[in-house]
């Protein structure tokens, strides 16, 4: 049977506070589960943000994606920039994901922006300390939490990540972009990888966001997703709750309905193993 999975990375307060509840409600309506990857720490680094502002040509790399302000809205953008709340504060929402039956993986560690910016140069010891911190934080909220998947912010895999994840009992790593490829699973040296084949490139941009920037309407997005799901054995769509969970709920719901009509099963990433 062909499968379709939705992967949502939770990396801002608006993701978990506003987008996640709506996605869980949609999942309950259709009796399906999603895969969420949660960053337990802070979204941004104030110091890094100041450094970026001081650059002569900030943001020189441009991808087909929306600005953070456009996706979050001015109020939430300022809250993320000024208050920068750790996502571990949102215990109710974390428990709701766990209790819904959806998959809950880990997405980075103490600071999403710092991982994205610097993890490529981290030592294995540094990576180990970051992963252990994230595990301890999530177990404060969910003492019975079972380690599943791990996804690095910005698709940046630090040195020794596979070994560290295997050491702490993770089932798989999700740092694998395989756009337009049918096989979303590959074996690493220490554990398997589960990838994403519905996203925007370059940059590994979120699927719905990328489609909208390209000018696609809802019908075109649904048709694009269903064409991939019909061709591939396993199709994985990647996005974030703060955008997809707020702006694309109807679109996601229609994709789920058409998948069910086509006998394509909606599954979590972990179940693909």
């Amino acid at each position: 049977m062909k499968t379709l999975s939705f992967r949502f990375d939770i990396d801002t307060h608006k993701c978990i506070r506003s987008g996640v509840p709506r996605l869980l409600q949609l999942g309950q309506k259709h009796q399906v589960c999603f895969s969420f990857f949660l960053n337990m720490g802070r979204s941004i680094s104030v110091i890094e943000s100041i450094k970026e502002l001081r650059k002569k040509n900030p943001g020189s790399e441009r991808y087909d994606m929306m600005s953070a302000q456009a996706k979050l809205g001015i109020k939430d953008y300022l809250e993320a920039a000024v208050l920068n709340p750790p996502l571990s504060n949102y215990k109710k929402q974390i428990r709701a994901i766990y209790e819904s039956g959806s998959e809950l993986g880990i997405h980075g560690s103490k600071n999403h922006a710092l991982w994205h910016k610097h993890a490529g140069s981290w030592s294995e010891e540094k990576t180990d300390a970051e992963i252990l911190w994230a595990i301890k934080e999530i177990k404060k909220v969910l003492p019975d939490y079972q380690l599943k998947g791990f996804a690095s912010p910005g698709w940046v895999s630090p040195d020794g990540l596979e070994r560290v994840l295997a050491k702490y009992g993770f089932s798989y790593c999700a740092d694998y972009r395989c756009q337009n490829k049918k096989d979303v699973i590959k074996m690493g040296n220490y554990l398997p990888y589960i990838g994403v084949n519905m996203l925007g490139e370059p940059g590994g941009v979120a699927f719905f966001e990328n489609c909208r920037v390209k000018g696609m309407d809802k019908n075109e997005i649904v048709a694009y997703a269903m064409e991939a799901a019909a061709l591939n054995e396993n199709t994985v769509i990647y996005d974030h709750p703060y955008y997809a969970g707020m702006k694309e709920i109807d679109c996601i719901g229609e994709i789920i309905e058409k998948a069910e009509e086509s006998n394509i099963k909606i599954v979590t990433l972990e179940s693909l193993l």
Side-chain angles (χ1 to χ4, degrees):
M1 176 180 286
K2 294 181 182 296
T3 72
L4 175 63
S5 303
F6 292 88
R7 167 185 161 178
F8 297 108
D9 288 359
I10 305 170
D11 54 16
T12 68
H13 68 285
K14 189 168 186 177
C15 275
I16 195 163
R17 189 179 66 193
S18 304
V20 164
R22 297 191 70 190
L23 287 167
L24 291 180
Q25 186 177 39
L26 181 68
Q28 184 178 35
K29 175 184 176 181
H30 292 281
Q31 293 297 293
V32 299
C33 293
F34 304 124
S35 292
F36 294 96
F37 291 83
L38 171 64
N39 185 287
M40 292 298 290
R42 299 182 185 276
S43 302
I44 66 171
S45 165
V46 175
I47 293 174
E48 289 296 330
S49 297
I50 293 172
K51 287 179 181 178
E52 286 295 319
L53 289 173
R54 287 178 174 176
K55 287 183 178 179
K56 292 183 178 180
N57 296 304
S60 58
E61 289 185 332
R62 299 191 61 85
Y63 304 125
D64 288 332
M65 59 189 296
M66 299 176 183
S67 68
Q69 183 173 321
K71 288 180 286 188
L72 291 172
I74 294 176
K75 177 179 177 294
D76 285 294
Y77 175 77
L78 291 174
E79 183 173 348
V82 177
L83 298 180
N84 200 15
L87 303 193
S88 57
N89 287 353
Y90 295 90
K91 296 177 175 60
K92 179 181 177 181
Q93 289 87 343
I94 295 171
R95 292 191 186 102
I97 295 172
Y98 188 74
E99 292 167 0
S100 73
S102 280
E103 176 182 5
L104 181 59
I106 292 178
H107 183 49
S109 183
K110 297 176 185 177
N111 189 290
H112 185 277
L114 289 179
W115 187 298
H116 189 173
K117 185 78 172 179
H118 299 295
S121 61
W122 285 353
S123 67
E124 187 169 331
E125 290 73 21
K126 167 68 172 173
T127 301
D128 190 301
E130 291 280 334
I131 299 295
L132 182 57
W133 181 90
I135 293 169
K136 288 180 177 179
E137 286 298 304
I138 202 165
K139 283 186 175 289
K140 289 178 184 177
V141 185
L142 301 169
D144 298 325
Y145 173 77
Q146 299 298 311
L147 299 173
K148 298 181 179 180
F150 182 90
S152 293
W155 308 97
V156 180
S157 303
D159 185 53
L161 178 62
E162 265 193 68
R163 287 189 294 271
V164 173
L165 295 179
K167 169 184 173 181
Y168 289 115
F170 282 85
S171 302
Y172 68 93
C173 180
D175 294 1
Y176 177 35
R177 283 147 60 183
C178 49
Q179 188 180 37
N180 299 323
K181 292 184 179 179
K182 295 182 179 181
D183 190 0
V184 299
I185 302 174
K186 71 174 184 177
M187 289 304 301
N189 293 321
Y190 295 89
L191 75 175
Y193 284 74
I194 301 179
V196 174
N197 52 5
M198 294 299 284
L199 75 171
E201 295 290 4
V205 180
F207 173 74
F208 293 102
E209 175 186 342
N210 182 252
C211 289
R212 291 297 188 180
V213 170
K214 289 180 177 178
M216 297 171 67
D217 62 27
K218 186 178 79 168
N219 291 336
E220 290 172 323
I221 296 171
V222 172
Y224 180 31
M226 292 313 302
E227 180 182 0
L231 288 172
N232 300 333
E233 181 179 354
N234 305 305
T235 300
V236 180
I237 294 175
Y238 160 69
D239 216 287
H240 300 87
Y242 67 71
Y243 179 72
M246 301 299 295
K247 303 286 188 178
E248 303 292 354
I249 282 289
D250 291 343
C251 192
I252 296 169
E254 190 167 331
I255 291 172
I256 292 171
E257 290 172 0
K258 288 191 177 297
E260 291 171 344
E261 292 170 3
S262 302
N263 200 33
I264 297 171
K265 189 175 182 180
I266 308 295
V267 300
T268 62
L269 296 190
E270 185 193 27
S271 69
L272 296 178
L273 296 175

